[in-house]
Amino acid sequence: MSRRCWRYALAGAVAVVGLASIATDTQAERVRWKLHAAYASNIPIIGDTPTMMIDTVDKASGGEFKIKHFEPGALVPGNAYYDPVSSGALDSAYGTPGFNVNKNFAYAFFASVPFGPRAGEYLAWMRYGGGEDMAREMYGRDSIRFYICGIAPPETSGWFRNEIKTLDDLKGLKMRFFGLGAKVMEKFGVSTQLLAGGDIYPALELGSIDATEFSMPVTDQGYGFYQIAKHNYFPGWHQQSTINELLVNQGKYEALSDPHKELLAAACDRATLYMFVKGEASQFDAIKFHQSKGVTIHRWSDANLAKFEAAWQEVIADEIKENEDAKKIWASLSAFRKDYAIWKDNGYLK
Amino acid sequence: MSRRCWRYALAGAVAVVGLASIATDTQAERVRWKLHAAYASNIPIIGDTPTMMIDTVDKASGGEFKIKHFEPGALVPGNAYYDPVSSGALDSAYGTPGFNVNKNFAYAFFASVPFGPRAGEYLAWMRYGGGEDMAREMYGRDSIRFYICGIAPPETSGWFRNEIKTLDDLKGLKMRFFGLGAKVMEKFGVSTQLLAGGDIYPALELGSIDATEFSMPVTDQGYGFYQIAKHNYFPGWHQQSTINELLVNQGKYEALSDPHKELLAAACDRATLYMFVKGEASQFDAIKFHQSKGVTIHRWSDANLAKFEAAWQEVIADEIKENEDAKKIWASLSAFRKDYAIWKDNGYLK
């Protein structure tokens, strides 16, 4: 071949390589997202679920679809991700619908309900009873795509310095308490406040609070509440299960290829199973640990649980009055639970 | 460019296109598998779970990894897939470890255990308590890769023509019954036999059996047992949850790319969540339907359940005697359940 011909041959080859690269890029559709996490990644169960979800997406896409995890506070404060996802300032965020109640109180029903369902029943309502559709519609109003992406097992009912012999002992206590459960506790004379996880231990130590609830035993263990409050109450009637969410900016979602959409949905389903199962596996060792440190494990009597539940019925009747979304969703969940009871009461051993 | 140069340029381009195609083929790694299903795809929950798993793999891989579903009997008979997967005659199969007890009785513990755990506890033991590792080791002896790929909610305890007023009424009954539960029923004078799903209705109609258990209410509904047997008993103490499996020939598994391995595992986790949640959502309508057809729904008394459980303890003590795998696995499951009870008894509302 003449030198001139070599040049053309090379040019032809280079041109094709260029085209091939473009074709491969289109096919590969390299996606790079940022994800804000509302929980630090070192918190057991709720913290490491988004990292396993991200890992699945990365590995199963052969590195085509990478989501970078940012700790709470790195991009935005822990729970303040709704508006940034809506605007597209954040591609995506991981948290719980319960963090979005300042946008619409009705989001609470997609996160956790006092005296609410366990994981199987809750997910059954969400997925096949209309819950997820209603959630998607509500988030869609603000250009957000919603995914169920985790479900946590029950929390404990709280940590107290002294034994609660009757519910009268609750009167006048200052307690850290979250969400709708807080309104129930207030009916028993508890003065509640919401503190972030890291602020609870110092507040307990200083005595600015007398008691706290926070999360599951294995999570609470890491915060060390057992060092101060030696009475741990069960069951956590205020949060029998807690749905966690992945929120994605609608435009970012729509720009995904069909395979990546499918993969993201599958990864969140996998993450949901992971949180549920890992959560179930991880609590008894934490309870044993607490006992070894001198903590007494108490279970509320059925009579006291009935009193909490009666107070809850008053709270919820009041809360949904002014919110059409909340009315509709609560009616749907309540009707489903009535039906599900037919199955629960017959199908299961006690 | 001279004609001669054009030829070289074209040759250069073609050579590169050839290389690019090879590169793309390697990268894409087109996989085509056959999957034998032990359940017909039109059976609710257990039949459509493998098709949703396959669909996830297909879509999320952009069609690179396709698994073709074969109905029971098309390639091999329904439950007879262990040897063909082991030899590689089948790439993969979907069923339950309970179908493999003729190979090793210990497989029963990875499927369902009378008076055994619910889904959350069972999966917690499998995944984080050593169960899955032991299963992988046992299947690995026969060059099979095991995946948890579904978990079904409780079955009903059975369909009877007449009410069972005392357990003495069981004496002399001919009943279709599966697995370890059958050995328990035999202790109460029941003569058990195992019939395939499609053979049960005719046998009930002809009177060659007096009663049957089969599956969940929604599954039983499709078989029409309610038309003959008007007394449906709960809870299904013999199968409170049933793990379903994907088995893959070890060589076929090893030939997969890392992304496809990750995708297959994620798809089976997704399928596990699907079966659990869809199962929870689908039973109450079936129970209502049965009631509308004149079926009486009964719940065994606690006293009778205690008698079944005592008989089960005798059965299991006898069954594990001769099998080292079974002894080891039963000890592991029993120890885990003792620990888990600490959590179950405290963490949950009744």
Side-chain angles (χ1 to χ4, degrees):
Chain A
M1 211 189 306
S2 70
R3 185 173 296 179
R4 192 168 145 235
C5 282
W6 263 116
R7 211 164 54 219
Y8 285 115
L10 196 66
V14 166
V16 169
V17 167
L19 282 171
S21 298
I22 290 164
T24 304
D25 270 6
T26 307
Q27 188 193 19
E29 202 218 0
R30 197 167 162 279
V31 178
R32 297 293 179 265
W33 277 4
K34 292 179 181 176
L35 177 133
H36 159 79
Y39 317 108
S41 58
N42 64 354
I43 299 180
I45 322 287
I46 55 174
D48 60 26
T49 297
T51 60
M52 88 78 73
M53 182 275 288
I54 283 172
D55 196 51
T56 293
V57 169
D58 182 6
K59 285 183 179 159
S61 72
E64 281 180 10
F65 188 176
K66 282 187 186 289
I67 303 172
K68 190 167 159 55
H69 178 281
F70 288 85
E71 298 288 341
L75 300 174
V76 299
N79 307 352
Y81 54 78
Y82 190 97
D83 286 335
V85 172
S86 176
S87 72
L90 284 174
D91 304 317
S92 62
Y94 190 88
T96 166
F99 290 151
N100 308 321
V101 289
N102 57 332
K103 293 293 165 185
N104 187 332
F105 162 71
Y107 282 126
F109 296 119
F110 305 128
S112 191
V113 180
F115 295 95
R118 296 184 187 189
E121 180 182 1
Y122 209 171
L123 292 173
W125 171 67
M126 285 295 283
R127 199 135 271 180
Y128 305 105
E132 191 171 37
D133 289 342
M134 290 187 286
R136 288 237 155 113
E137 189 275 321
M138 278 178 62
Y139 281 104
R141 294 175 203 164
D142 291 318
S143 303
I144 296 172
R145 173 85 179 170
F146 164 80
Y147 293 86
I148 300 166
C149 206
I151 189 160
E155 301 199 342
T156 94
S157 187
W159 297 84
F160 297 83
R161 282 174 177 273
N162 300 306
E163 190 179 346
I164 306 298
K165 289 180 182 160
T166 79
L167 295 191
D168 285 342
D169 294 344
L170 294 172
K171 254 178 219 160
L173 286 186
K174 289 168 288 173
M175 185 170 187
R176 187 269 184 199
F177 219 104
F178 179 78
L180 291 167
K183 297 187 188 238
V184 174
M185 292 305 278
E186 282 166 11
K187 289 197 175 272
F188 294 88
V190 176
S191 164
T192 70
Q193 51 185 296
L194 187 58
L195 298 173
D199 297 333
I200 298 173
Y201 184 94
L204 267 178
E205 200 173 27
L206 284 168
S208 54
I209 56 173
D210 306 302
T212 187
E213 63 77 49
F214 183 62
S215 186
M216 301 166 267
V218 71
T219 313
D220 288 359
Q221 181 181 337
Y223 285 89
F225 307 143
Y226 66 88
Q227 293 170 26
I228 302 172
K230 297 292 187 187
H231 298 274
N232 190 195
Y233 278 74
F234 290 86
W237 50 265
H238 63 302
Q239 261 173 281
Q240 279 283 291
S241 57
T242 308
I243 291 173
N244 285 265
E245 68 185 2
L246 172 73
L247 298 188
V248 176
N249 172 267
Q250 186 68 27
K252 299 286 162 63
Y253 164 74
E254 282 164 12
L256 290 179
S257 68
D258 287 343
H260 286 172
K261 282 180 183 164
E262 181 77 8
L263 180 54
L264 193 64
C268 270
D269 278 0
R270 182 182 216 194
T272 301
L273 186 77
Y274 168 80
M275 186 185 282
F276 171 53
V277 175
K278 188 78 187 285
E280 285 281 86
S282 305
Q283 308 310 325
F284 54 76
D285 276 343
I287 294 176
K288 282 185 186 177
F289 171 84
H290 287 137
Q291 286 174 319
S292 79
K293 297 295 181 184
V295 169
T296 304
I297 303 296
H298 301 270
R299 189 179 164 101
W300 296 113
S301 68
D302 289 350
N304 283 343
L305 286 170
K307 285 176 194 164
F308 286 129
E309 190 166 9
W312 158 244
Q313 292 299 339
E314 288 174 29
V315 167
I316 188 64
D318 202 46
E319 289 289 328
I320 61 174
K321 263 186 204 154
E322 309 293 329
N323 183 318
E324 289 307 315
D325 289 319
K327 263 187 226 169
K328 189 176 86 172
I329 298 165
W330 180 245
S332 165
L333 177 58
S334 301
F336 185 90
R337 298 203 70 195
K338 209 173 149 190
D339 273 344
Y340 181 84
I342 299 169
W343 167 237
K344 181 185 170 192
D345 294 345
N346 286 299
Y348 284 99
L349 287 168
K350 279 168 195 163
Chain B
M1 211 188 305
S2 70
R3 185 172 296 179
R4 191 168 146 236
C5 283
W6 263 115
R7 211 164 54 220
Y8 285 116
L10 196 65
V14 167
V16 169
V17 167
L19 282 171
S21 298
I22 290 164
T24 303
D25 270 6
T26 307
Q27 188 193 20
E29 201 217 3
R30 198 168 162 277
V31 178
R32 296 294 179 263
W33 277 5
K34 291 178 181 177
L35 177 133
H36 159 79
Y39 318 107
S41 58
N42 64 353
I43 299 179
I45 323 287
I46 55 175
D48 60 26
T49 297
T51 59
M52 88 78 74
M53 182 274 289
I54 283 172
D55 196 51
T56 293
V57 169
D58 182 6
K59 285 183 179 160
S61 71
E64 281 181 11
F65 188 176
K66 282 187 186 289
I67 303 173
K68 190 168 159 53
H69 178 282
F70 289 85
E71 298 288 340
L75 300 174
V76 299
N79 306 352
Y81 54 77
Y82 190 98
D83 287 334
V85 172
S86 176
S87 71
L90 284 174
D91 304 317
S92 62
Y94 190 88
T96 167
F99 290 151
N100 308 321
V101 289
N102 57 331
K103 294 292 165 185
N104 187 332
F105 162 71
Y107 282 127
F109 296 119
F110 305 127
S112 192
V113 180
F115 295 95
R118 296 184 188 189
E121 180 182 1
Y122 209 171
L123 292 173
W125 171 67
M126 285 294 283
R127 198 135 271 179
Y128 305 104
E132 191 171 38
D133 289 342
M134 290 188 285
R136 288 238 155 112
E137 190 275 320
M138 278 178 61
Y139 281 104
R141 294 175 204 165
D142 291 318
S143 302
I144 296 171
R145 173 85 179 171
F146 164 80
Y147 293 86
I148 300 166
C149 206
I151 190 160
E155 301 200 342
T156 94
S157 188
W159 297 84
F160 297 83
R161 282 174 178 273
N162 300 307
E163 190 179 345
I164 306 298
K165 289 180 182 161
T166 79
L167 295 191
D168 285 342
D169 294 343
L170 293 172
K171 254 178 219 159
L173 286 186
K174 289 168 288 174
M175 186 170 186
R176 187 270 183 198
F177 218 104
F178 179 79
L180 290 167
K183 297 188 189 239
V184 174
M185 292 305 278
E186 282 166 11
K187 290 199 174 271
F188 294 88
V190 176
S191 164
T192 70
Q193 52 184 295
L194 188 57
L195 297 173
D199 298 333
I200 298 173
Y201 184 94
L204 267 178
E205 200 173 26
L206 284 167
S208 53
I209 56 173
D210 306 302
T212 187
E213 63 78 48
F214 183 62
S215 186
M216 301 166 267
V218 71
T219 313
D220 288 359
Q221 181 182 337
Y223 285 89
F225 308 143
Y226 65 88
Q227 293 169 26
I228 302 172
K230 296 293 187 186
H231 298 274
N232 189 195
Y233 278 74
F234 290 86
W237 51 264
H238 63 301
Q239 262 173 278
Q240 279 282 291
S241 57
T242 308
I243 291 173
N244 285 264
E245 68 185 3
L246 172 73
L247 298 188
V248 176
N249 173 267
Q250 186 68 27
K252 298 286 162 62
Y253 165 74
E254 282 164 12
L256 289 178
S257 67
D258 287 343
H260 286 172
K261 282 179 184 164
E262 181 76 7
L263 180 54
L264 193 64
C268 270
D269 278 359
R270 182 183 216 193
T272 301
L273 186 76
Y274 168 79
M275 187 185 283
F276 171 54
V277 175
K278 189 78 186 285
E280 286 280 85
S282 306
Q283 308 310 326
F284 54 76
D285 276 342
I287 294 176
K288 282 185 187 177
F289 170 83
H290 287 137
Q291 286 174 319
S292 79
K293 297 295 181 183
V295 169
T296 304
I297 302 296
H298 301 270
R299 189 179 164 101
W300 296 112
S301 69
D302 289 350
N304 283 342
L305 286 170
K307 285 176 195 165
F308 286 129
E309 189 166 10
W312 158 244
Q313 292 299 340
E314 288 174 29
V315 167
I316 188 63
D318 202 47
E319 289 289 328
I320 61 174
K321 262 186 204 153
E322 308 293 329
N323 183 318
E324 290 306 315
D325 289 320
K327 262 187 226 168
K328 189 176 86 172
I329 299 165
W330 181 245
S332 165
L333 177 58
S334 301
F336 186 90
R337 298 203 69 195
K338 209 173 148 190
D339 273 344
Y340 181 84
I342 299 169
W343 167 236
K344 181 185 170 191
D345 294 345
N346 285 300
Y348 285 99
L349 287 167
K350 280 169 196 162

